[in-house]
Amino acid sequence: MTQRDEYFQVRAEKVERLREQGIDPFPARYRRTHTIAQALELLARWTERGRPARERSVSVTGRVTGVRNMGRVAFLDLRDGTGAMQAQLRRDLTGADFELLKSLDLGDFLGVRGRLIHTRTGEPTVEARSAAMLGKALRPPPEKWHGLQDVQQRLRQREADLIANDDVRERFVLRSKLVAAIRRFMDGRGYLEVETPILLNVAAGANARPFVTQHNALSRTLYLRIATELHLKRCIIGGLDRVYEIGRIFRNEGLDATHNPEFTSMESYEAYADYNDIMSLVETMVEGLASELLGTTTLEYGGATIDVKAPWRRLDLRTAILEHAGIDIDAHRDAASLAGRMREIGVVVTQEDSWGRLVDKLLGDKVEPHLVQPTFLVDYPVEMTPLAKRHPSKGGYVERFEGFVAGMEVCNAFTELNDPIEQRRRFEEQEALRVEHAEEDFDRLDEDFLTAVEYGMPPTGGLGVGIDRLAMLFSGQSTVREVVLFPHLSLSQDEMFRAVDAAIQEVLSRLPTLSQDAFYELVRNDLSAEVAARITKGELIRRAMQAFEDQSQAI
RNA sequence: GGGCCGUUAGCUCAGCUGGCAGAGCACCGGACUUUUAAUCCGGGUGUCCAGGGUUCGAGCCCCUGACGGCCCA
């Protein structure tokens, strides 16, 4: 028996023992009178002002995170969502409930009822008169002093991470407060929170590849949204003058430090506003969030001290590229010419890159890393931005900005294009570019949206904020998966081997007398694309061979 | 894509020049009425990431691969 099984079995036996004693190890309810924070506060108040004449006993609940058993008295550390405190179990005070200790393990949920006292050492404590098991744990918690360090396990079993690591717990509390504060900020400015569809006939509104799914009843292919932009603008057209949506966006692309295939955005649209108004909204909001949540507008990130206090620097995009890369993009308005200049300064480009993509690479390589202090990069080439309005005086540019903090893009905003004729032309340009540059992502033409704009759309300022990026910034994390509770991960080695072994067993049970070569082929076909791509032929053959031998021996 | 580092008990980690696989926590058995990572006595529970090679002998050396971390593109 492995040690893992032993832990489980010992605890499972305790569950049985409790049942034999007529105790439900998983009772439906328990009446608690105080959260741990409330109990601590109550005791502090009593200590200050004296105990009431008729003192109530309290009951608190929580997970057992520590046990110090001294024979006829035991001290338990209890933790609930509000805090941690000590409970004392004395044999002479708890009677039969004292026996519960024999079936108690770290990680169990317990309720205790009794007086609030300070022990000899001054520790706030519930002096239990009764105790009840509220939920037995069958697995041991991670190591109590060092916590859980293994990154894979932390991310795959976030609950264990949260149990073991206080900083992780606090980080996700902060994220939640961040979202709540953004809502308050937008609500306070008269914005209406709306909900728009996630399943769409056309995934438009951004340059990204969508996830594809199937609606059975309609026999229709649907796409998960890659932005909330187009529907929110339809709200503006409909007369909801200020709207926003906080929600999940899905983009079918790779995973890395700053990209999870599903992420949270806050998009907002405001009629009669332009991108200058939106800049001021963003800097005001982020400064306010920092003051409210962190108590300061300066934050430490990646070794830099960043001040998010408004106003943020405005930096013209063309000037920025000129300064940081020495290239005037207006002097190289075609892809071949720009690519040539970029090669000269050592930026990796390909024959197929579109002009817009080249500019994007220049930005990413040469400009963005320098945008450590909060900066709005202003006025983007029209090729990169089909939904923004042309700049009235800068030919070839649109009124668009992106906000950067710590070299990270945190928002994207435009003065929205509200001319339906030009909007159609811009979408058509995107479709043409898609034909020319098959590997790149372009926006898609959405007829329903164009119809909406044709009804007449007011001048509008629009904004998209990456909530995950903000959460990273505010919590000092360098990867998005540390601010997403359950991030997507590729398969672990164990999971891969398990998938292979399962496929082998499946084929073996179906066709036990196959030749070996045919057998490998069938197993390989059974594997998911992800596993098939990564398992080596040698590894597959070894595992199949082993299973083959095991089976022959069994027969 | 490239470089460096790592993968050993449930968890956190040692393991020297190749020679019986280790510690702390956790766990199991026992003692203990005021502990705070309780303490004391006894017990090591393992696919050393996988496979192959060298060797009398491999956790350690070599090769291939998987997974992960960091750095660079």
Side-chain angles (χ1 to χ4, degrees):
Chain A
M1 181 163 63
T2 70
Q3 192 178 2
R4 190 193 309 271
D5 296 334
E6 187 194 333
Y7 278 104
F8 190 91
Q9 188 170 326
V10 165
R11 286 168 178 241
E13 281 165 9
K14 289 177 179 174
V15 168
E16 282 317 303
R17 194 194 313 163
L18 286 168
R19 291 216 164 97
E20 282 161 17
Q21 293 164 357
I23 296 170
D24 182 356
F26 305 98
R29 56 189 56 82
Y30 179 85
R31 178 184 292 273
R32 85 168 169 189
T33 61
H34 294 73
T35 65
I36 283 173
Q38 287 167 340
L40 290 172
E41 197 192 325
L42 184 64
L43 181 60
R45 202 158 62 226
W46 284 351
T47 308
E48 204 176 305
R49 302 184 197 161
R51 287 175 180 265
R54 287 189 53 145
E55 181 186 326
R56 287 181 304 161
S57 61
V58 303
S59 54
V60 299
T61 55
R63 189 190 287 277
V64 176
T65 59
V67 177
R68 293 174 292 283
N69 191 341
M70 249 134 294
R72 268 170 272 186
V73 63
F75 295 92
L76 311 177
D77 296 323
L78 283 190
R79 161 164 220 156
D80 71 8
T82 67
M85 77 181 295
Q86 180 171 265
Q88 181 196 53
L89 259 63
R90 281 168 50 173
R91 192 164 73 172
D92 58 345
L93 293 181
T94 50
D97 285 355
F98 196 74
E99 295 304 305
L100 209 52
L101 277 176
K102 290 204 178 85
S103 307
L104 189 72
D105 291 298
L106 289 183
D108 293 350
F109 282 91
L110 199 72
V112 295
R113 180 174 185 84
R115 296 179 62 223
L116 287 172
I117 62 165
H118 284 107
T119 58
R120 231 173 259 176
T121 52
E123 181 78 12
T125 301
V126 180
E127 184 192 63
R129 304 291 162 135
S130 67
M133 177 67 69
L134 304 185
K136 189 93 190 100
L138 293 183
R139 289 175 189 265
E143 211 255 5
K144 64 179 170 186
W145 196 239
H146 300 92
L148 184 61
Q149 300 296 327
D150 182 81
V151 173
Q152 287 295 296
Q153 199 179 339
R154 285 187 44 238
L155 300 177
R156 290 174 199 281
Q157 299 183 10
R158 186 67 92 177
E159 60 286 349
D161 193 20
L162 290 163
I163 291 168
N165 299 320
D166 284 347
D167 55 330
V168 173
R169 174 199 183 86
E170 282 159 20
R171 193 186 310 148
F172 286 105
V173 170
L174 177 67
R175 179 181 171 128
S176 181
K177 286 180 175 167
L178 178 73
V179 173
I182 291 173
R183 268 204 175 89
R184 275 199 304 280
F185 178 85
M186 298 304 287
D187 292 346
R189 292 198 156 213
Y191 279 81
L192 209 60
E193 181 171 11
V194 297
E195 292 174 275
T196 66
I198 291 173
L199 296 173
L200 304 171
N201 291 318
V202 182
N207 304 353
R209 200 157 307 172
F211 284 92
V212 185
T213 188
Q214 195 66 28
H215 190 294
N216 289 338
L218 296 177
S219 300
R220 182 185 294 168
T221 298
L222 292 175
Y223 303 89
L224 272 61
R225 68 184 178 192
I226 56 173
T228 47
E229 172 144 0
L230 301 190
H231 284 87
L232 290 176
K233 283 184 186 169
R234 287 167 71 177
C235 294
I236 293 287
I237 291 165
L240 303 175
D241 279 351
R242 294 182 176 202
V243 292
Y244 75 100
E245 176 166 11
I246 294 175
R248 207 69 62 81
I249 302 294
F250 307 85
R251 295 187 181 174
N252 205 341
E253 45 201 37
L255 302 84
D256 67 23
T258 51
H259 294 88
N260 197 43
E262 51 181 302
F263 61 96
T264 305
S265 78
M266 194 282 289
E267 278 194 44
S268 72
Y269 292 83
E270 178 175 339
Y272 316 112
D274 67 14
Y275 74 153
N276 293 303
D277 301 314
I278 305 302
M279 278 184 237
S280 121
L281 178 130
V282 170
E283 61 195 6
T284 307
M285 178 174 79
V286 174
E287 179 187 343
L289 293 172
S291 305
E292 180 180 343
L293 300 175
L294 307 175
T296 170
T297 63
T298 60
L299 37 99
E300 298 295 324
Y301 191 89
T305 302
I306 292 160
D307 192 348
V308 296
K309 197 172 177 55
W312 294 6
R313 177 165 70 131
R314 270 76 167 156
L315 181 61
D316 176 75
L317 176 137
R318 179 184 159 206
T319 311
I321 294 177
L322 195 56
E323 279 176 5
H324 290 290
I327 296 179
D328 181 359
I329 55 174
D330 277 2
H332 304 275
R333 287 300 296 199
D334 63 286
S337 157
L338 184 57
R341 271 298 282 135
M342 286 169 66
R343 279 199 197 89
E344 287 170 26
I345 61 165
V347 180
V348 179
V349 299
T350 73
Q351 288 280 321
E352 291 79 34
D353 283 338
S354 68
W355 189 81
R357 171 124 145 190
L358 290 170
V359 173
D360 207 45
K361 281 186 174 176
L362 263 179
L363 285 175
D365 272 28
K366 298 294 175 191
V367 179
E368 290 172 16
H370 299 287
L371 307 182
V372 174
Q373 295 302 321
T375 302
F376 292 126
L377 206 54
V378 178
D379 295 338
Y380 280 60
V382 62
E383 287 85 346
M384 307 169 72
T385 319
L387 294 160
K389 180 174 285 195
R390 284 183 187 277
H391 196 284
S393 57
K394 290 186 196 169
Y397 289 87
V398 293
E399 291 197 349
R400 169 185 179 185
F401 73 86
E402 291 187 305
F404 291 88
V405 183
M408 205 162 41
E409 179 199 336
V410 295
C411 71
N412 180 25
F414 342 125
T415 304
E416 303 294 337
L417 177 56
N418 62 344
D419 172 348
I421 308 284
E422 182 173 358
Q423 183 66 82
R424 181 176 293 277
R425 199 160 53 230
R426 294 268 204 92
F427 274 140
E428 282 165 356
E429 279 167 17
Q430 291 288 303
E431 299 291 346
L433 282 167
R434 190 198 315 288
V435 173
E436 200 177 332
H437 305 280
E439 332 69 54
E440 290 183 37
D441 296 318
F442 296 96
D443 210 341
R444 288 164 193 77
L445 190 148
D446 180 345
E447 275 306 336
D448 291 340
F449 172 66
L450 283 171
T451 301
V453 181
E454 287 163 9
Y455 275 108
M457 173 172 165
T460 299
L463 167 69
V465 178
I467 301 287
D468 306 274
R469 302 279 174 86
L470 272 190
M472 286 167 66
L473 200 60
F474 276 46
S475 60
Q477 293 300 310
S478 58
T479 65
V480 68
R481 57 186 199 187
E482 290 295 356
V483 298
V484 169
L485 274 168
F486 302 99
H488 289 275
L489 300 168
S490 52
L491 289 177
S492 69
Q493 188 182 43
D494 276 359
E495 287 168 325
M496 223 169 51
F497 287 166
R498 270 201 299 276
V500 169
D501 291 342
I504 289 169
Q505 288 305 323
E506 210 277 320
V507 172
L508 214 48
S509 67
R510 213 169 55 206
L511 302 159
T513 58
L514 220 56
S515 82
Q516 283 200 357
D517 285 347
F519 180 73
Y520 300 140
E521 220 26 61
L522 275 178
V523 169
R524 202 162 194 36
N525 292 339
D526 251 32
L527 295 173
S528 74
E530 180 177 10
V531 175
R534 286 203 276 166
I535 193 79
T536 60
K537 190 175 178 195
E539 182 77 40
L540 181 60
I541 289 175
R542 273 190 296 275
R543 282 174 182 269
M545 199 109 82
Q546 188 64 49
F548 229 80
E549 280 167 20
D550 291 351
Q551 168 133 330
S552 346
Q553 276 174 14
I555 296 168

